[in-house]
Amino acid sequence: MSSSLTQSASSPAAEIGNTVPTNTVPTNTVPTNTVPTNTVPTNTVTCHTARFEAAAPLPSTTVVTAHGELDAVNAQPLADFALQRANHALVLDLSEVEFFGTAGFSALHTLNVRSGADIDWVLVPSTAVSRLLRICDPDGALPQSETVDAAVTALHGAPRPSLLQLVAEPG
């Protein structure tokens, strides 16, 4: 089974969110099966029916934006893309996601676990993402915000709550 993950500076297929087949190589794309781990990450990746972009509005903050559809083919590559580019703070902007399958939730859980104590992160969901999170995350365990600006403010404002508190602190 071949993957259709392509890194692109600006290919026509990437701009409209279409898949660039791995058996044809336009001059300005480099097909790969996974996001490379030993090179400088590119800021735009097209994977199947989604496009991922990374930007750093602040030195310690990365905003990863996904456009299109997240499904079993590209959900885990999104988590990998985000974690490889994350600094100390990560905003995962899914506000432009039109379809969000259950594999997307699994990828969010993976991102939450793999970020650990090193990376604080906040999710900005679209309507499609929110719909699935109401079912898969009814208690709101994943950190969410309404907008990217609010997420950046939340990341730099309050300390991250601990994942588990066994004994209440006195006071």
Side-chain angles (χ1 to χ4, degrees):
M1 180 177 207
S2 69
S3 173
S4 60
L5 177 67
T6 31
Q7 296 181 0
S8 167
S10 178
S11 72
E15 289 175 5
I16 59 173
N18 291 336
T19 302
V20 176
T22 57
N23 60 354
T24 61
V25 181
T27 57
N28 59 353
T29 62
V30 179
T32 60
N33 288 332
T34 60
V35 177
T37 57
N38 59 352
T39 61
V40 175
T42 60
N43 289 332
T44 302
V45 171
T46 298
C47 182
H48 191 53
T49 56
R51 185 177 77 242
F52 314 142
E53 299 171 345
L58 298 172
S60 64
T61 304
T62 302
V63 175
V64 171
T65 304
H67 304 270
E69 301 176 354
L70 291 175
D71 55 24
V73 174
N74 55 21
Q76 192 56 51
L78 171 62
D80 295 339
F81 179 87
L83 287 168
Q84 289 172 358
R85 285 152 182 82
N87 291 315
H88 298 290
L90 171 67
V91 175
L92 185 59
D93 180 9
L94 302 183
S95 63
E96 298 295 319
V97 170
E98 300 160 1
F99 173 82
F100 191 71
T102 56
F105 175 75
S106 180
L108 292 179
H109 175 71
T110 298
L111 189 144
N112 195 41
V113 170
R114 287 177 47 198
S115 65
D118 298 330
I119 301 170
D120 290 336
W121 75 285
V122 175
L123 166 69
V124 179
S126 68
T127 302
V129 175
S130 294
R131 186 178 309 122
L132 189 73
L133 290 179
R134 281 193 300 273
I135 297 166
C136 296
D137 187 31
D139 297 329
L142 296 177
Q144 296 180 46
S145 189
E146 296 273 329
T147 66
V148 171
D149 288 341
V152 170
T153 300
L155 286 169
H156 293 285
R160 183 178 183 177
S162 62
L163 296 177
L164 179 63
Q165 184 176 354
L166 296 176
V167 178
E169 294 180 15

